[in-house]
């Protein structure tokens, strides 16, 4: 009886402490969120107030409320260049296609050069040279070669994403733990099994971490390409707004673009979690 | 004075491992030839537990790499069960100092890997792996990833991963030196218990003389590099089964320790002097 009378209060105590700690953690999260929102409110609010009182010229700096209205108009009535979703879909399609192509080519090339001493010796200087080139300057050439449509944007996107993924895949293959390779060999792995059980899984974490950056670059390439010459897409929309001295239109395009980038980043993070679940402990 | 130098038994069994006149040299980046090992002659009989001790950088691990087949000797040859070794040693398994475990595989997948690589059906490989997981005391952790285990538990996985292959040679490269003292002596005892049930020969690399004496049938002392060679070969005839944590207080153990340490001390001092000469040159 003695032990049960003692056990009872500790049980309650544990429950109490747990709820206390939970409440503390929740308060911390609420505080962080509140601070984040506060920063947004202060920045946007100042901007709005300065523009409303004409302290800064709304013609050059626009105004948050005007940008919101502009986006609403685009969504409801469509843009001067046709419905908004067409432009959005075009840019998104260019981004996704060039991202996928760039990743596939980058992984294949990175794996091949990482595995083969001779290939990497031959191609290393050329790859360094191409990588040193600011590849955005290729945009006009691609437009000359492939026209104003999607292929020129995809070509630019592929050149941008390829190198990032390539270097990561190459490094990933090279950085495989020597002991793990030796261990697999002693356990009886042949070349194919070595790739499947050791090299690819090990390189995968490098490749996946490059996907965030390379997706961003694919989006940049699509927008820059549209900027230089296109008939549709978000970049084209922004460039049209700029041509008409429509600052609000430029900002509206930027807001939509950054929202797209956020969504894409979230998707890539999900993908990453799916593939390298072994790295974060489940508990 | 009683000699305890080991003399090869006059039987005509082919040794499991035999190194004949083995030397290993590297070309330094400066273009000079660096001799790691020279004139190594060593025979390890079936079921023997042999430790290799020597100062840091004397080529202990290189010797192990030659026996595993990760590297080829520059001169002389390595014979495994009487035939010269070319390529990876097919009858050896190795527990490395750092992790053997593949971080992207669960415990059961890690342990069953060797069997799977040899084409054993998944269900059978898993069944046998489960027995080994239990034997090394990890029942219930079959589906954990290595990142969820402690260092000692990962060593257990590594042991099971090697021993499930029933290797004729078990190579251990400073396998326990990264573990804390208590985990280490537990693992050492467990290794002896499991080894007693097998017929494997063990080649154990360590810089810890106490560990070498308490585990082994023979302790081999290497000279300080460069150009390390065998200096002493001691037969440790302490009775088995041994308790690693208690044997250190045994009078005969201390005698062995004193005698081998007399041999080893000069080499350690020599290697220490070299290291310091090297650093003062560099400054």
């Amino acid at each position: 009886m003695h032990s049960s009378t003692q056990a009872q209060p500790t049980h309650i105590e544990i429950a109490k402490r747990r709820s206390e700690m939970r409440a503390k953690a929740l308060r911390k999260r609420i505080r962080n969120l509140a601070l984040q929102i506060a920063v947004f409110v202060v920045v946007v609010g100042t901007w709005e107030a300065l523009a409303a009182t004409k302290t800064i010229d709304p013609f050059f700096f626009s105004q948050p409320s005007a940008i919101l209205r502009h986006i609403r108009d685009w969504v409801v009535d469509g843009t001067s260049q046709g419905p908004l979703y067409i432009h959005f879909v075009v840019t998104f399609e260019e981004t996704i296609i060039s991202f996928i192509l760039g990743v596939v080519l980058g992984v294949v090339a990175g794996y091949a050069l990482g595995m083969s001493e001779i290939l990497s010796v031959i191609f290393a200087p050329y790859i360094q040279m191409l990588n040193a080139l600011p590849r955005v300057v290729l945009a006009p050439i691609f437009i000359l070669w492939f026209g104003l449509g999607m292929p020129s944007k995809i070509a630019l996107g592929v050149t941008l994403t390829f190198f990032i993924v390539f270097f990561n895949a190459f490094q990933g293959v090279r950085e495989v733990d020597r002991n793990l390779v030796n261990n697999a060999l002693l356990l009886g792995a042949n070349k194919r099994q070595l790739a499947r059980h050791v090299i690819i899984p090990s390189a995968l974490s490098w490749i996946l971490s490059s996907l965030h950056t390379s997706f961003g670059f694919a989006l940049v390439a699509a927008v820059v390409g549209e900027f230089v010459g296109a008939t549709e897409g978000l970049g084209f929309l922004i460039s049209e707004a700029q041509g008409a001295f429509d600052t609000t239109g430029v900002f509206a395009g930027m807001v939509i673009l950054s929202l797209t980038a956020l969504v894409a980043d979230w998707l890539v993070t999900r993908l990453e979690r799916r593939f390298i679940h072994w790295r974060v402990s489940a508990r | 004075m009683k000699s305890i130098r080991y003399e090869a038994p006059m039987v005509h069994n082919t040794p499991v491992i035999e190194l004949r006149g083995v030397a290993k040299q590297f070309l330094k980046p400066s273009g000079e030839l660096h001799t790691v090992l020279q004139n190594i002659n060593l025979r390890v009989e079936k079921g023997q537990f042999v430790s290799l001790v020597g100062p840091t950088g004397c080529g202990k691990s290189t010797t192990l790499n030659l026996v595993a087949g990760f590297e080829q000797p520059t001169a002389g040859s390595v014979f495994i069960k009487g035939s010269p070794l070319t390529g990876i040693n097919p009858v050896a398994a190795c527990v490395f100092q750092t992790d053997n475990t593949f971080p992207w595989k669960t415990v059961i997948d890690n342990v069953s890997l060797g069997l799977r690589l040899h084409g054993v059906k998944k269900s059978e490989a898993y069944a046998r792996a489960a027995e080994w997981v239990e034997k090394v005391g990890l029942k219930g952790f079959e589906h954990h990833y290595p990142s969820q285990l402690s260092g000692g538990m990962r060593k257990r996985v590594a042991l099971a991963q090697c021993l499930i292959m029933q290797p004729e040679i078990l190579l251990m490269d400073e396998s326990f030196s990264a573990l804390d003292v208590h985990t280490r002596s537990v693992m050492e005892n467990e290794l002896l218990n499991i080894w007693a049930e097998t017929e494997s020969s063990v080649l154990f690399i360590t810089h810890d003389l106490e560990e070498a004496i308490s585990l082994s049938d023979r302790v081999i002392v290497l000279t300080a590099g460069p150009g390390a060679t065998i200096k002493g070969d001691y037969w440790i005839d302490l009775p088995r089964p041994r308790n690693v944590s208690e044997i250190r207080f045994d009078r005969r153990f201390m005698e062995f320790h004193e005698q081998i340490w007399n041999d080893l001390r000069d080499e350690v001092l020599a290697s220490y002097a070299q290291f310091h000469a090297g650093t003062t040159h560099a400054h």
Side-chain angles (χ1 to χ4, degrees):
Chain A
M1 281 305 102
H2 189 73
S3 64
S4 73
T5 46
Q6 243 181 1
Q8 209 61 7
T10 34
H11 203 73
I12 293 167
E13 224 169 59
I14 287 169
K16 200 177 144 201
R17 195 173 309 151
R18 187 176 53 206
S19 66
E20 260 173 28
M21 284 169 87
R22 277 188 187 158
K24 211 170 173 183
L26 186 69
R27 272 203 300 277
K28 205 166 178 181
R29 276 181 63 186
I30 290 173
R31 186 202 64 190
N32 291 348
L33 195 67
L35 286 173
Q36 281 172 340
I37 292 171
V39 169
F40 179 83
V41 168
V42 168
V43 170
V44 175
T46 315
W47 182 5
E48 179 76 34
L50 289 176
T53 55
K54 301 271 190 275
T55 320
I56 56 172
D57 191 344
F59 180 78
F60 290 112
F61 295 99
S62 191
Q63 199 173 356
S65 56
I67 295 166
L68 265 184
R69 245 177 285 126
H70 206 287
I71 293 174
R72 201 201 56 212
D73 287 348
W74 273 354
V75 173
V76 177
D77 310 325
T79 68
S80 57
Q81 309 296 328
L84 177 68
Y85 77 88
I86 288 183
H87 299 286
F88 178 79
V89 166
V90 164
T91 305
F92 207 72
E93 211 174 316
E94 290 164 351
T95 309
I96 294 284
I97 294 175
S98 57
F99 173 70
I100 291 172
L101 280 178
V103 168
V104 169
L105 291 175
V107 167
V108 169
Y111 185 77
L113 266 71
M115 290 301 281
S116 155
E117 194 63 44
I118 184 79
L119 281 182
S120 71
V121 168
I122 297 171
F123 288 106
Y126 300 110
I127 286 171
Q128 288 295 347
M129 209 164 77
L130 284 176
N131 186 43
L133 188 78
R135 286 178 298 283
V136 178
V137 300
L138 293 173
I141 296 183
F142 284 145
I143 286 167
L144 282 176
W145 289 354
F146 303 115
L148 290 175
M150 239 182 237
S152 57
K153 285 41 165 203
I154 291 171
L156 185 65
V158 169
T159 57
L160 282 175
T161 49
F162 170 82
F163 284 96
I164 301 166
V165 179
F166 169 81
F167 282 114
N168 272 277
F170 180 78
Q171 201 71 0
V173 170
R174 280 297 165 96
E175 299 277 304
V176 173
D177 189 340
R178 212 43 242 170
N179 280 341
L180 290 185
V181 172
N182 281 341
N183 190 25
L185 288 175
L186 270 185
L187 291 172
N190 58 30
K191 253 191 161 156
R192 218 194 66 247
Q193 291 171 323
L194 189 67
R196 191 181 139 211
H197 291 283
V198 186
I199 296 168
I200 292 173
S202 162
L204 205 59
S205 58
W206 282 75
I207 294 168
L208 285 169
S209 68
S210 74
L211 294 188
H212 284 281
T213 347
S214 55
F215 195 94
F217 272 90
L219 188 63
V220 167
V223 173
V224 169
E226 287 163 1
F227 225 86
V228 175
T231 51
E232 49 194 354
L234 291 174
F236 166 72
L237 218 55
I238 294 176
S239 131
E240 284 293 290
Q242 185 206 10
F245 297 104
D246 174 14
T247 330
T248 312
V250 174
F251 276 114
M254 274 165 46
V255 170
I256 294 172
L257 268 180
S258 49
L259 286 179
T260 316
L262 272 181
V263 171
D265 202 63
W266 179 76
L267 284 174
V268 174
T269 309
R270 289 286 301 262
L271 193 74
E272 203 170 29
R273 291 236 180 96
R274 164 73 190 75
F275 277 102
I276 47 172
H277 53 101
W278 49 267
R279 201 198 261 169
V280 269
S281 35
R283 289 181 190 175
Chain B
M1 186 176 175
K2 186 181 65 171
S3 167
I4 51 163
R5 291 228 159 208
Y6 174 70
E7 295 191 5
M10 290 307 288
V11 284
H12 296 284
N13 282 346
T14 21
V16 176
I17 306 169
E18 185 175 9
L19 275 65
R20 260 187 238 160
V22 164
K24 181 70 188 174
Q25 297 175 313
F26 291 104
L27 203 57
K28 279 200 275 194
S30 60
E32 278 172 78
L33 208 56
H34 177 70
T35 307
V36 184
L37 294 170
Q38 61 185 7
N39 195 27
I40 302 277
N41 291 293
L42 175 68
R43 289 162 65 100
V44 176
E45 314 294 331
K46 185 174 178 181
Q48 242 177 17
F49 197 124
V50 177
S51 285
L52 223 51
V53 295
T56 320
C58 74
K60 300 186 292 278
S61 293
T62 309
T63 313
L64 182 130
N65 286 345
L66 293 174
V67 175
F70 302 145
E71 293 172 32
Q72 267 66 51
T74 323
S77 23
V78 178
F79 295 89
I80 301 300
K81 295 196 294 174
S83 40
L85 178 67
T86 51
I88 297 291
N89 190 333
V91 297
C94 182
V95 181
F96 297 91
Q97 177 177 9
T98 51
D99 275 330
N100 272 57
T101 52
F102 299 92
W104 43 87
K105 289 182 182 292
T106 56
V107 169
I108 193 95
D109 280 324
N110 262 297
V111 175
S112 61
L113 180 64
L115 296 176
R116 300 279 294 137
L117 293 176
H118 281 89
V120 175
K121 272 213 322 266
K122 190 168 184 169
S123 54
E124 196 198 327
Y126 267 33
R128 280 166 64 187
E131 285 170 27
W132 272 100
V133 168
E134 192 174 350
K135 205 177 261 188
V136 296
L138 288 178
K139 197 174 167 59
F141 291 94
E142 286 88 348
H143 301 291
H144 283 59
Y145 285 98
S147 61
Q148 298 168 286
L149 304 179
S150 70
M153 289 160 98
R154 285 203 289 269
K155 276 291 171 239
R156 289 163 189 271
V157 177
L159 266 180
Q161 189 182 53
C162 288
L163 291 170
I164 197 172
M165 301 310 293
Q166 300 178 306
E168 295 182 55
I169 302 169
L170 180 62
L171 303 169
M172 304 196 71
D173 190 359
E174 309 240 3
S175 305
F176 300 145
S177 58
L179 298 177
D180 67 85
V181 182
H182 306 293
T183 315
R184 192 167 160 179
S185 65
V186 169
M187 287 305 296
E188 286 165 355
N189 272 330
E190 216 145 301
L191 170 68
L192 287 184
N193 290 337
I194 297 175
W195 169 71
E197 292 172 21
T198 69
E199 305 207 306
S200 304
S201 309
V202 182
L203 187 62
F204 195 97
I205 307 284
T206 181
H207 57 251
D208 181 346
L209 186 52
E210 285 195 15
E211 184 179 41
I213 298 172
S214 51
L215 294 177
S216 317
D217 297 322
R218 271 167 80 193
V219 173
I220 291 167
V221 180
L222 289 182
T223 61
T229 191
I230 293 176
K231 185 176 184 187
D233 190 338
Y234 298 87
W235 182 246
I236 312 294
D237 54 355
L238 296 169
R240 292 188 190 272
R242 301 177 187 167
N243 183 339
V244 174
S245 42
E246 287 166 15
I247 203 168
R248 294 172 192 201
F249 308 113
D250 188 285
R251 191 181 48 79
R252 300 226 20 242
F253 177 95
M254 291 184 204
E255 280 170 19
F256 281 126
H257 191 276
E258 195 184 338
Q259 197 157 0
I260 303 175
W261 175 242
N262 278 336
D263 244 7
L264 188 56
R265 183 179 42 214
D266 301 339
E267 303 309 322
V268 172
L269 289 176
S271 118
Y272 193 69
Q274 261 170 31
F275 176 74
H276 277 266
T279 48
T280 42
H281 267 290
H283 281 281

